[in-house]
mmCIF file of all heavy atoms in Angstrom:
data_model
loop_
_atom_site.group_PDB
_atom_site.id
_atom_site.type_symbol
_atom_site.label_atom_id
_atom_site.label_comp_id
_atom_site.label_asym_id
_atom_site.label_seq_id
_atom_site.Cartn_x
_atom_site.Cartn_y
_atom_site.Cartn_z
ATOM 1 N N ASP A 173 78.649 109.228 72.768
ATOM 2 C CA ASP A 173 77.853 108.373 71.882
ATOM 3 C C ASP A 173 78.682 107.788 70.780
ATOM 4 O O ASP A 173 79.426 108.545 70.126
ATOM 5 C CB ASP A 173 76.672 109.195 71.256
ATOM 6 C CG ASP A 173 75.622 109.376 72.356
ATOM 7 O OD1 ASP A 173 75.653 108.687 73.368
ATOM 8 O OD2 ASP A 173 74.722 110.269 72.089
ATOM 9 N N GLY A 174 78.538 106.546 70.484
ATOM 10 C CA GLY A 174 79.192 105.904 69.337
ATOM 11 C C GLY A 174 80.652 105.512 69.606
ATOM 12 O O GLY A 174 81.271 104.923 68.730
ATOM 13 N N VAL A 175 81.186 105.874 70.771
ATOM 14 C CA VAL A 175 82.612 105.615 71.016
ATOM 15 C C VAL A 175 82.891 104.105 71.031
ATOM 16 O O VAL A 175 83.910 103.646 70.537
ATOM 17 C CB VAL A 175 83.115 106.342 72.281
ATOM 18 C CG1 VAL A 175 84.466 105.781 72.723
ATOM 19 C CG2 VAL A 175 83.164 107.837 72.090
ATOM 20 N N PHE A 176 82.003 103.296 71.608
ATOM 21 C CA PHE A 176 82.285 101.923 71.758
ATOM 22 C C PHE A 176 82.429 101.269 70.396
ATOM 23 O O PHE A 176 83.425 100.554 70.135
ATOM 24 C CB PHE A 176 81.176 101.186 72.548
ATOM 25 C CG PHE A 176 81.477 99.715 72.735
ATOM 26 C CD1 PHE A 176 82.413 99.301 73.615
ATOM 27 C CD2 PHE A 176 80.744 98.767 71.982
ATOM 28 C CE1 PHE A 176 82.717 97.933 73.784
ATOM 29 C CE2 PHE A 176 81.031 97.414 72.159
ATOM 30 C CZ PHE A 176 82.023 97.014 73.032
ATOM 31 N N GLY A 177 81.498 101.563 69.511
ATOM 32 C CA GLY A 177 81.557 100.928 68.168
ATOM 33 C C GLY A 177 82.829 101.302 67.416
ATOM 34 O O GLY A 177 83.511 100.403 66.833
ATOM 35 N N LYS A 178 83.196 102.570 67.516
ATOM 36 C CA LYS A 178 84.452 103.002 66.829
ATOM 37 C C LYS A 178 85.672 102.380 67.467
ATOM 38 O O LYS A 178 86.638 102.039 66.797
ATOM 39 C CB LYS A 178 84.508 104.521 66.859
ATOM 40 C CG LYS A 178 83.551 105.211 65.901
ATOM 41 C CD LYS A 178 83.742 106.732 65.966
ATOM 42 C CE LYS A 178 82.552 107.427 65.466
ATOM 43 N NZ LYS A 178 82.357 108.770 66.022
ATOM 44 N N SER A 179 85.639 102.268 68.799
ATOM 45 C CA SER A 179 86.780 101.715 69.529
ATOM 46 C C SER A 179 86.978 100.241 69.071
ATOM 47 O O SER A 179 88.120 99.799 68.907
ATOM 48 C CB SER A 179 86.567 101.725 71.040
ATOM 49 O OG SER A 179 86.413 103.068 71.477
ATOM 50 N N ILE A 180 85.905 99.524 68.915
ATOM 51 C CA ILE A 180 85.946 98.124 68.467
ATOM 52 C C ILE A 180 86.594 98.037 67.088
ATOM 53 O O ILE A 180 87.481 97.241 66.797
ATOM 54 C CB ILE A 180 84.566 97.430 68.503
ATOM 55 C CG1 ILE A 180 84.102 97.290 69.964
ATOM 56 C CG2 ILE A 180 84.537 96.123 67.776
ATOM 57 C CD1 ILE A 180 84.898 96.349 70.864
ATOM 58 N N LYS A 181 86.153 98.901 66.213
ATOM 59 C CA LYS A 181 86.755 98.923 64.872
ATOM 60 C C LYS A 181 88.267 99.252 64.899
ATOM 61 O O LYS A 181 89.035 98.599 64.206
ATOM 62 C CB LYS A 181 86.077 100.057 64.014
ATOM 63 C CG LYS A 181 84.847 99.549 63.269
ATOM 64 C CD LYS A 181 84.346 100.623 62.298
ATOM 65 C CE LYS A 181 82.906 100.318 61.957
ATOM 66 N NZ LYS A 181 82.099 101.512 61.733
ATOM 67 N N ALA A 182 88.609 100.225 65.726
ATOM 68 C CA ALA A 182 90.020 100.640 65.807
ATOM 69 C C ALA A 182 90.825 99.426 66.412
ATOM 70 O O ALA A 182 91.994 99.207 65.978
ATOM 71 C CB ALA A 182 90.166 101.871 66.637
ATOM 72 N N LEU A 183 90.302 98.776 67.416
ATOM 73 C CA LEU A 183 91.007 97.646 67.986
ATOM 74 C C LEU A 183 91.237 96.561 66.936
ATOM 75 O O LEU A 183 92.289 95.929 66.906
ATOM 76 C CB LEU A 183 90.229 97.055 69.204
ATOM 77 C CG LEU A 183 90.258 97.954 70.471
ATOM 78 C CD1 LEU A 183 89.278 97.422 71.496
ATOM 79 C CD2 LEU A 183 91.684 97.922 71.096
ATOM 80 N N LYS A 184 90.228 96.367 66.084
ATOM 81 C CA LYS A 184 90.390 95.364 65.004
ATOM 82 C C LYS A 184 91.535 95.754 64.075
ATOM 83 O O LYS A 184 92.311 94.916 63.622
ATOM 84 C CB LYS A 184 89.077 95.204 64.238
ATOM 85 C CG LYS A 184 88.099 94.281 64.929
ATOM 86 C CD LYS A 184 86.958 94.005 63.987
ATOM 87 C CE LYS A 184 85.801 93.197 64.693
ATOM 88 N NZ LYS A 184 86.166 91.839 65.003
ATOM 89 N N MET A 185 91.601 97.062 63.769
ATOM 90 C CA MET A 185 92.672 97.558 62.877
ATOM 91 C C MET A 185 94.023 97.312 63.531
ATOM 92 O O MET A 185 95.011 96.983 62.845
ATOM 93 C CB MET A 185 92.477 99.057 62.567
ATOM 94 C CG MET A 185 91.271 99.309 61.631
ATOM 95 S SD MET A 185 90.811 101.069 61.673
ATOM 96 C CE MET A 185 92.018 101.775 60.535
ATOM 97 N N LEU A 186 94.084 97.523 64.841
ATOM 98 C CA LEU A 186 95.384 97.301 65.547
ATOM 99 C C LEU A 186 95.734 95.820 65.597
ATOM 100 O O LEU A 186 96.906 95.426 65.350
ATOM 101 C CB LEU A 186 95.318 97.849 66.984
ATOM 102 C CG LEU A 186 95.357 99.414 67.069
ATOM 103 C CD1 LEU A 186 94.829 99.891 68.407
ATOM 104 C CD2 LEU A 186 96.782 99.945 66.830
ATOM 105 N N ASN A 187 94.742 94.981 65.809
ATOM 106 C CA ASN A 187 94.980 93.526 65.771
ATOM 107 C C ASN A 187 95.456 93.094 64.400
ATOM 108 O O ASN A 187 96.344 92.226 64.264
ATOM 109 C CB ASN A 187 93.673 92.761 66.061
ATOM 110 C CG ASN A 187 93.397 92.562 67.567
ATOM 111 O OD1 ASN A 187 92.327 92.096 67.988
ATOM 112 N ND2 ASN A 187 94.329 92.942 68.407
ATOM 113 N N GLU A 188 94.871 93.673 63.358
ATOM 114 C CA GLU A 188 95.198 93.268 62.001
ATOM 115 C C GLU A 188 96.703 93.471 61.653
ATOM 116 O O GLU A 188 97.257 92.676 60.905
ATOM 117 C CB GLU A 188 94.381 94.059 60.961
ATOM 118 C CG GLU A 188 93.115 93.256 60.557
ATOM 119 C CD GLU A 188 92.023 94.151 59.974
ATOM 120 O OE1 GLU A 188 92.389 95.151 59.295
ATOM 121 O OE2 GLU A 188 90.869 93.817 60.165
ATOM 122 N N VAL A 189 97.309 94.552 62.207
ATOM 123 C CA VAL A 189 98.719 94.719 61.914
ATOM 124 C C VAL A 189 99.626 94.059 62.939
ATOM 125 O O VAL A 189 100.824 94.118 62.905
ATOM 126 C CB VAL A 189 99.130 96.252 61.849
ATOM 127 C CG1 VAL A 189 98.323 96.959 60.784
ATOM 128 C CG2 VAL A 189 98.986 96.964 63.169
ATOM 129 N N GLY A 190 99.010 93.302 63.851
ATOM 130 C CA GLY A 190 99.800 92.436 64.757
ATOM 131 C C GLY A 190 99.763 92.903 66.204
ATOM 132 O O GLY A 190 100.363 92.305 67.089
ATOM 133 N N TYR A 191 99.072 94.018 66.524
ATOM 134 C CA TYR A 191 98.995 94.471 67.906
ATOM 135 C C TYR A 191 98.118 93.620 68.807
ATOM 136 O O TYR A 191 97.038 93.211 68.428
ATOM 137 C CB TYR A 191 98.463 95.930 68.003
ATOM 138 C CG TYR A 191 99.587 96.926 67.923
ATOM 139 C CD1 TYR A 191 99.892 97.588 66.708
ATOM 140 C CD2 TYR A 191 100.357 97.180 69.012
ATOM 141 C CE1 TYR A 191 100.946 98.466 66.651
ATOM 142 C CE2 TYR A 191 101.445 98.077 68.960
ATOM 143 C CZ TYR A 191 101.716 98.697 67.820
ATOM 144 O OH TYR A 191 102.807 99.562 67.739
ATOM 145 N N GLY A 192 98.685 93.233 70.000
ATOM 146 C CA GLY A 192 97.883 92.514 70.978
ATOM 147 C C GLY A 192 97.745 91.019 70.700
ATOM 148 O O GLY A 192 97.074 90.335 71.435
ATOM 149 N N ILE A 193 98.361 90.543 69.612
ATOM 150 C CA ILE A 193 98.194 89.129 69.228
ATOM 151 C C ILE A 193 99.202 88.344 69.982
ATOM 152 O O ILE A 193 100.371 88.734 70.177
ATOM 153 C CB ILE A 193 98.430 88.978 67.710
ATOM 154 C CG1 ILE A 193 97.501 89.919 66.904
ATOM 155 C CG2 ILE A 193 98.266 87.516 67.281
ATOM 156 C CD1 ILE A 193 96.041 89.629 67.026
ATOM 157 N N ASP A 194 98.755 87.208 70.482
ATOM 158 C CA ASP A 194 99.582 86.279 71.244
ATOM 159 C C ASP A 194 100.892 85.978 70.492
ATOM 160 O O ASP A 194 100.811 85.632 69.278
ATOM 161 C CB ASP A 194 98.811 84.988 71.499
ATOM 162 C CG ASP A 194 99.180 84.373 72.794
ATOM 163 O OD1 ASP A 194 99.807 85.082 73.587
ATOM 164 O OD2 ASP A 194 98.826 83.197 73.068
ATOM 165 N N GLY A 195 101.995 86.190 71.111
ATOM 166 C CA GLY A 195 103.297 85.897 70.456
ATOM 167 C C GLY A 195 103.869 87.007 69.650
ATOM 168 O O GLY A 195 105.010 86.998 69.272
ATOM 169 N N SER A 196 103.062 88.089 69.427
ATOM 170 C CA SER A 196 103.605 89.240 68.673
ATOM 171 C C SER A 196 104.283 90.174 69.647
ATOM 172 O O SER A 196 103.878 90.332 70.763
ATOM 173 C CB SER A 196 102.418 89.969 67.971
ATOM 174 O OG SER A 196 102.792 91.294 67.688
ATOM 175 N N PRO A 197 105.398 90.828 69.196
ATOM 176 C CA PRO A 197 106.028 91.767 70.093
ATOM 177 C C PRO A 197 105.328 93.092 70.272
ATOM 178 O O PRO A 197 105.678 93.895 71.105
ATOM 179 C CB PRO A 197 107.446 91.969 69.418
ATOM 180 C CG PRO A 197 107.185 91.663 68.004
ATOM 181 C CD PRO A 197 106.082 90.671 67.878
ATOM 182 N N LEU A 198 104.323 93.329 69.452
ATOM 183 C CA LEU A 198 103.611 94.604 69.451
ATOM 184 C C LEU A 198 102.537 94.601 70.578
ATOM 185 O O LEU A 198 101.570 93.841 70.549
ATOM 186 C CB LEU A 198 102.938 94.864 68.121
ATOM 187 C CG LEU A 198 103.896 94.949 66.940
ATOM 188 C CD1 LEU A 198 103.124 94.952 65.601
ATOM 189 C CD2 LEU A 198 104.740 96.248 67.027
ATOM 190 N N LYS A 199 102.760 95.458 71.543
ATOM 191 C CA LYS A 199 101.930 95.444 72.761
ATOM 192 C C LYS A 199 100.703 96.393 72.635
ATOM 193 O O LYS A 199 100.851 97.522 72.264
ATOM 194 C CB LYS A 199 102.680 95.893 73.981
ATOM 195 C CG LYS A 199 103.820 94.922 74.377
ATOM 196 C CD LYS A 199 103.316 93.812 75.272
ATOM 197 C CE LYS A 199 104.317 92.729 75.565
ATOM 198 N NZ LYS A 199 104.421 91.722 74.488
ATOM 199 N N LEU A 200 99.554 95.802 72.953
ATOM 200 C CA LEU A 200 98.283 96.581 72.995
ATOM 201 C C LEU A 200 97.685 96.358 74.359
ATOM 202 O O LEU A 200 97.217 95.271 74.678
ATOM 203 C CB LEU A 200 97.334 96.140 71.905
ATOM 204 C CG LEU A 200 95.936 96.668 71.944
ATOM 205 C CD1 LEU A 200 95.873 98.178 71.898
ATOM 206 C CD2 LEU A 200 95.039 96.083 70.854
#
Side-chain angles (χ1 to χ4, degrees):
Chain A
D173 285 345
V175 167
F176 181 74
K178 286 182 199 154
S179 300
I180 291 295
K181 270 190 200 146
L183 285 168
K184 279 189 185 293
M185 289 165 80
L186 286 161
N187 276 173
E188 266 160 33
V189 302
Y191 269 100
I193 305 295
D194 213 13
S196 159
L198 299 168
K199 294 272 172 281
L200 170 60

